[in-house]
Amino acid sequence: MTSRIPRDSRLRLVRPRPLAAAPRAVNQRRPRRPAPRPPEGTPAQSELARMARSGLAAAARVAHWADTALGPGRDSAGADGKGTLSEATAERAARDLGLTVTQVRADWDTARLAGLVEVHGDSARPGWRLRAWDRDDSAVLRGWVALFDAWSLAHPEPEQHEHGAVADVVSALPQVLSFLQLSAGPVPVEQLLDLLEQRVTELRTERCEIPYGPQPAPAAAAMAAEAMAAEAKAAEDTPLAPLLDWALHALASVGALTYGDGQATLTPLGSWAVWVKLEQICVAAQSPAGNIEQSAEAMLRGCAQLRPNAARDEYRAWLAARPVGSAVSELLGAARGDDALLRGLAFEALRVVGAPAEPDVRAVLDQPTLRPYALLWLAEHDGIDPEDAHEVLTRDEATWLWVDTAAAVADHGEAPMLVRHLESSVQPTVPALLAEVRAVGHPRTVQVLVALAAAHPDPALAKAVRRAAFQVHTGGS
C-alpha cells in the first residue's frame, strides 16, 4: 500500500489519450489469475457483508427513509450543492425515525460516503448499492470499503491540527494498517506511534516538491519557497501522537478497528479490507451462464468480465433473441441506472445494434447522465473515427464522462486500473483536472477522488486528490 521508492512528485499527467477509448478501459483486463485466498480465520463473504450491513444500518435506514418518504422530484437535499440535508428534511427525518437532527445528518453523511445516496445539485437519489442492499453481498462490501477509504472525511480532524501534518499522517496510515493486519491482534499505541513517526519521516525525506506549470519570477519563487519552508516547518513541529489518536478514532468510527486501553486491533472487516488493498483485487461477481436469457442489466453484468470481442458476441446473441426496439429500450433503461459500468457497456451493446438504435439514442441527448455516451455513439455512427469522436464533447461533458468512467473502475476494477485512468483525462495536469472535476458536479465525485487518492502511489498527488475530495465533501474551496 506504500512505497519507499523516491519519486518526482510533480502533479502532472502523462500524455492524454482520446476519451472515446475510456469506457472500453473497464473491459481491457489482464488475464485473470487465481484469486488469492484471504488469511486464515477471515470470515466468509456473507459474514463480512452481515458485519458491513450492521455497521451501516443507521446510514441505510436514513437512505431508505429518504427513498420512500421523499420520492422522486422532492427536495431531499439543501440548495448548497453539497448534499447537505435541508433543515426541514432533517427535522422531518428525525421525527419519523425517532432520532435527533444531529444523528440524522451524521447518518446521511455516512450514506453519501458509502454510495447509498448520490447527490445531484440540490436533490439526492438512492445509489445503486442501496437498491442491491438486501440481495448483493459484494455491493454491500464495496459500500463499506468506500467508507473505509474515506475515513478521514467521515471523521474530520480537529481544526487546530496543522493541515500539512494531517496529510502526512493520512499518507502514512496505510503502512500502519498493514502492520496491524500482519500482527493479527492487539498492538500497543506506542508501537504504532513509533511506526507512524518513522513512515512520516520517510515521506518527508522522499518528498521532492517541484512546482508544476510555468515557473514564477525569481522574487515570487523566493516567496513561494519561504512559504513552503514555513509550512514544512509547521508540519514537522506538530506532534504526531494527537493525530494518531484522531486517525485511530476515525478508523474505529467506520468500523475498521477497535481502539481503547492503549491498543488498537483491526476488526474482521478492517483486516479483510486491508488484505484486499494489499492484494489489489476487487470484489466482483463472475459472469453468469446463459446471458441470452437474462435481462439487459444481468447480461451486461455477465459480460463485464469478458474481453471486448467475446462481449460483442454475447451482445449479438442477446440481441438476436428479441425484437430490436424492445432490446434498445431495455439497454437504455440499464444505462439510466446508477452503475456507471453498465452505462458504458450498454452503449457498447448499442454499437452492435447500429442504425436501428439511432432514433432512441438521439432521443436521450437531453438526459445529462446519458448525453456524453450518446454523443460519442452518434459521432461514431456518423463515420467519425472513434479516436477522434471525443472532440464532439464539450470540456464539461468530457470531464463528466471521465468521472463516470472512473466510478465504474472504482466499483469494479483494480487500483492500478484507476491510476492508469488518469491517462484518459483531457486536462494536462492534475490540478486542472481536479478543478474541473469539482466544477462538473458528478454525484460520484467524492467517492472517485477518495478511491484515486487511496490507489495512487505518489504521496504528493494523493495528497492533492484527497484535499480535493475533502473540499467537494464539505463544499469548501
Side-chain angles (χ1 to χ4, degrees):
M1 298 177 69
T2 60
S3 172
R4 301 188 181 186
I5 302 173
R7 296 181 183 87
D8 173 356
S9 60
R10 281 175 290 188
L11 305 183
R12 64 188 181 192
L13 300 178
V14 297
R15 181 180 60 82
R17 66 182 179 185
L19 220 159
R24 300 183 180 90
V26 178
N27 285 330
Q28 295 172 352
R29 304 188 177 194
R30 297 185 295 277
R32 294 179 65 86
R33 61 181 174 89
R37 294 180 179 236
E40 185 177 353
T42 301
Q45 186 183 55
S46 59
E47 178 63 14
L48 290 169
R50 185 196 65 77
M51 296 175 186
R53 285 188 178 95
S54 176
L56 291 170
R61 184 185 181 198
V62 169
H64 280 301
W65 175 87
D67 185 23
T68 57
L70 301 178
R74 300 287 296 278
D75 179 22
S76 54
D80 58 5
K82 300 184 296 185
T84 304
L85 284 178
S86 65
E87 194 64 35
T89 301
E91 291 175 355
R92 178 182 170 189
R95 289 195 304 270
D96 291 352
L97 298 175
L99 303 172
T100 67
V101 171
T102 300
Q103 288 174 317
V104 167
R105 292 195 182 280
D107 293 340
W108 179 260
D109 283 344
T110 299
R112 285 192 297 147
L113 292 174
L116 300 181
V117 293
E118 296 179 356
V119 178
H120 299 257
D122 59 354
S123 64
R125 69 185 184 192
W128 71 274
R129 287 173 183 149
L130 186 67
R131 298 299 190 203
W133 194 248
D134 295 323
R135 57 180 171 78
D136 189 339
D137 288 347
S138 65
V140 174
L141 290 173
R142 289 185 199 124
W144 188 86
V145 170
L147 179 64
F148 170 72
D149 285 341
W151 64 266
S152 61
L153 302 182
H155 191 83
E157 76 278 5
E159 290 293 331
Q160 69 269 22
H161 289 162
E162 205 281 325
H163 293 304
V166 170
D168 287 339
V169 168
V170 172
S171 297
L173 246 293
Q175 186 160 321
V176 174
L177 290 170
S178 298
F179 181 75
L180 277 167
Q181 200 270 342
L182 292 172
S183 299
V187 177
V189 173
E190 292 83 357
Q191 193 171 357
L192 296 178
L193 181 59
D194 287 342
L195 178 62
L196 178 66
E197 290 173 341
Q198 292 174 25
R199 183 57 187 151
V200 168
T201 299
E202 290 173 356
L203 290 173
R204 291 170 177 169
T205 301
E206 294 168 1
R207 187 176 300 137
C208 178
E209 297 283 3
I210 303 175
Y212 52 82
Q215 300 302 305
M223 293 177 62
E226 289 179 5
M228 290 175 60
E231 181 180 353
K233 183 66 165 57
E236 291 174 2
D237 291 343
T238 301
L240 296 184
L243 290 175
L244 176 62
D245 181 71
W246 158 70
L248 294 176
H249 273 110
L251 287 161
S253 74
V254 300
L257 52 78
T258 58
Y259 176 40
D261 297 327
Q263 59 187 18
T265 309
L266 284 179
T267 63
L269 263 179
S271 179
W272 168 80
V274 174
W275 172 79
V276 167
K277 298 291 183 182
L278 291 171
E279 291 295 330
Q280 296 185 330
I281 64 172
C282 62
V283 181
Q286 299 295 316
S287 296
N291 287 324
I292 192 173
E293 299 176 0
Q294 303 294 325
S295 66
E297 179 177 343
M299 180 273 295
L300 293 172
R301 290 194 187 280
C303 293
Q305 301 293 330
L306 302 179
R307 291 181 175 276
N309 287 339
R312 279 190 287 272
D313 290 340
E314 289 291 310
Y315 301 153
R316 292 188 184 97
W318 186 85
L319 290 165
R322 47 193 45 80
V324 172
S326 62
V328 170
S329 297
E330 194 172 348
L331 288 169
L332 288 173
R336 290 187 184 93
D338 296 316
D339 193 339
L341 174 63
L342 297 191
R343 201 154 24 250
L345 294 179
F347 277 85
E348 289 295 329
L350 289 169
R351 286 178 173 85
V352 175
V353 177
E358 180 181 0
D360 295 277
V361 172
R362 200 172 292 280
V364 302
L365 286 174
D366 60 346
Q367 300 178 26
T369 302
L370 303 184
R371 180 175 173 80
Y373 293 93
L375 287 172
L376 292 177
W377 190 97
L378 291 168
E380 294 180 32
H381 178 67
D382 291 339
I384 297 177
D385 190 296
E387 295 294 314
D388 300 323
H390 68 287
E391 295 178 2
V392 305
L393 303 178
T394 66
R395 187 73 164 230
D396 284 350
E397 289 164 349
T399 302
W400 194 99
L401 182 58
W402 185 91
V403 179
D404 206 46
T405 305
V409 177
D411 283 340
H412 302 277
E414 298 179 353
M417 188 185 301
L418 184 60
V419 175
R420 292 197 301 272
H421 182 57
L422 282 173
E423 296 179 25
S424 66
S425 169
V426 297
Q427 291 81 6
T429 65
V430 168
L433 170 65
L434 295 179
E436 295 188 29
V437 162
R438 290 179 58 193
V440 80
H442 193 287
R444 295 292 304 280
T445 298
V446 171
Q447 288 89 350
V448 163
L449 293 179
V450 167
L452 182 57
H456 207 285
D458 188 318
L461 191 147
K463 174 182 174 182
V465 175
R466 194 180 303 111
R467 183 188 301 117
F470 181 81
Q471 290 169 341
V472 174
H473 177 63
T474 61
S477 58

